[in-house]
Amino acid sequence: MNFRGNIAWISLERGYGYISDDASNTYIFHHCNILPTKGTKMLSIGNLVSFTVLAGIRSNQAVEVKLIS
């Protein structure tokens, strides 16, 4: 199931961040394990994204995060 939200906080140096989920008004953890390639935008605070949620070890995790232009 796809969700929509905004990047609430991100640290590219540390490789993770949080997405504010529009539907549930909660924060979802996101591990930034894919570096952007040439021609793709870096994620930054406030960007609108779509994502899928997986159950993680400690909490839910956003995966397949895609920037909505």
Side-chain angles (χ1 to χ4, degrees), residues 23-69:
S24 65
N25 203 24
T26 59
Y27 293 104
I28 308 292
F29 177 79
H30 170 58
H31 185 261
C32 312
N33 57 355
I34 300 173
L35 295 174
T37 58
K38 186 176 180 179
T40 61
K41 270 181 94 173
M42 298 279 283
L43 292 176
S44 60
I45 293 174
N47 286 145
L48 181 61
V49 293
S50 67
F51 58 95
T52 303
V53 175
L54 285 180
I57 296 170
R58 295 184 186 155
S59 64
N60 290 339
Q61 182 173 346
V63 295
E64 298 176 15
V65 178
K66 296 178 184 157
L67 186 62
I68 298 174
S69 47

Side-chain angles (χ1 to χ4, degrees), residues 3 5 9 11 13 16 19 29 32 40 53 56:
F3 295 91
W9 183 85
S11 173
E13 296 82 26
Y16 68 92
I19 298 172
F29 177 79
C32 312
T40 61
V53 175

